[in-house]
Amino acid sequence: MKLGSKFRLIQKVISVILAVLLTLSLVLIIWKYMDISFEETRAEILSNPIYAKGVITTKRSYKGKGVDIGYLVNGKKYSLNTGVKTEFYKRHKVGDSVEIVYSKKNPNVVLLKHELND
């Protein structure tokens, strides 16, 4: 093997390693952001929680399981669009009532009640 071809091979290996490291870094940053966002939402809700019922209006199964939940606060309609675990998805159908918890200060900040306990 000539020196020039060895050098190009080393460059390619280094490029692949750097690409993998960059991808992993981005995934970790996004994962950490999502974790911090959930904890901030949870803390805001728990600072002044309102427990209520919502109704499942839509079930989604594209790229994971999810539901849309409609709920009323002082006559105004709100919605929660969230991913759910498979067990929840199988156990509930459109039209079912589910327990939610939202922030008294901002009803748009909402979680399913069981997510607060997980």
Side-chain angles (χ1 to χ4, degrees):
M1 198 181 254
K2 292 185 180 178
L3 185 61
S5 62
K6 283 184 181 181
F7 183 72
R8 281 192 293 277
L9 179 62
I10 291 171
Q11 281 182 318
K12 287 180 182 180
V13 169
I14 290 172
S15 295
V16 168
I17 291 170
L18 288 175
V20 168
L21 289 174
L22 179 62
T23 302
L24 284 175
S25 298
L26 288 172
V27 167
L28 288 174
I29 289 169
I30 291 169
W31 188 357
K32 185 66 178 171
Y33 171 77
M34 289 174 57
D35 192 40
I36 290 170
S37 177
F38 175 79
E39 289 304 320
E40 288 173 351
T41 298
R42 187 173 187 272
E44 182 176 340
I45 290 170
L46 289 176
S47 70
N48 205 349
I50 301 291
Y51 294 84
K53 294 277 186 179
V55 176
I56 297 175
T57 58
T58 308
K59 289 177 71 177
R60 296 175 271 105
S61 61
Y62 178 71
K63 292 187 179 181
K65 308 284 188 245
V67 295
D68 299 338
I69 299 168
Y71 59 103
L72 288 173
V73 177
N74 298 325
K76 185 176 177 187
K77 291 182 182 181
Y78 291 87
S79 67
L80 166 63
N81 308 318
T82 188
V84 294
K85 294 180 180 177
T86 301
E87 300 83 37
F88 182 96
Y89 190 86
K90 288 180 179 178
R91 193 172 55 243
H92 294 88
K93 61 184 183 300
V94 172
D96 284 355
S97 290
V98 292
E99 295 182 68
I100 60 167
V101 185
Y102 62 87
S103 167
K104 184 176 184 178
K105 290 186 283 184
N106 182 358
N108 284 310
V109 179
V110 59
L111 291 171
L112 289 165
K113 182 181 174 191
H114 78 269
E115 290 179 312
L116 289 175
N117 303 325
D118 286 349

